[in-house]
Amino acid sequence: MNCPICKKPVEAAHRPFCSKRCADLDLARWLGGGYAIPSTDPEDVEAAIEAAEAERAKPH
C-alpha cells in the first residue's frame, strides 16, 4: 500500500500515510476545504450564505 499524498510505502505508525508530515498535509486539506465537493445548486449556496450570516450575528 502506498501513501495517498506522496506515493511512498506506508509506515505502520502513520497508516495510511508514510509519515506524520503526509498525515498533517492531509488534515490541512480537510480543514481547508480542499476535499469539498463544489455545488452549483442555488439552494445550497443560499443555505450556506444564511448559515454564515447567522453564525456571524451570534454574540461571542
Side-chain angles (χ1 to χ4, degrees):
M1 181 186 214
N2 292 329
C3 176
I5 303 297
C6 70
K7 308 301 182 219
K8 291 180 182 176
V10 169
E11 292 292 328
H14 304 287
R15 192 170 181 202
F17 305 102
C18 68
S19 65
K20 180 165 176 18
R21 177 187 174 277
C22 283
D24 288 345
L25 285 171
D26 184 70
L27 178 61
R29 288 179 185 172
W30 276 105
L31 296 175
Y35 292 132
I37 299 171
S39 174
T40 57
D41 185 351
E43 291 179 16
D44 290 344
V45 173
E46 289 298 320
I49 291 170
E50 289 172 8
E53 288 174 349
E55 187 65 30
R56 195 175 320 142
K58 286 183 182 177
H60 294 275

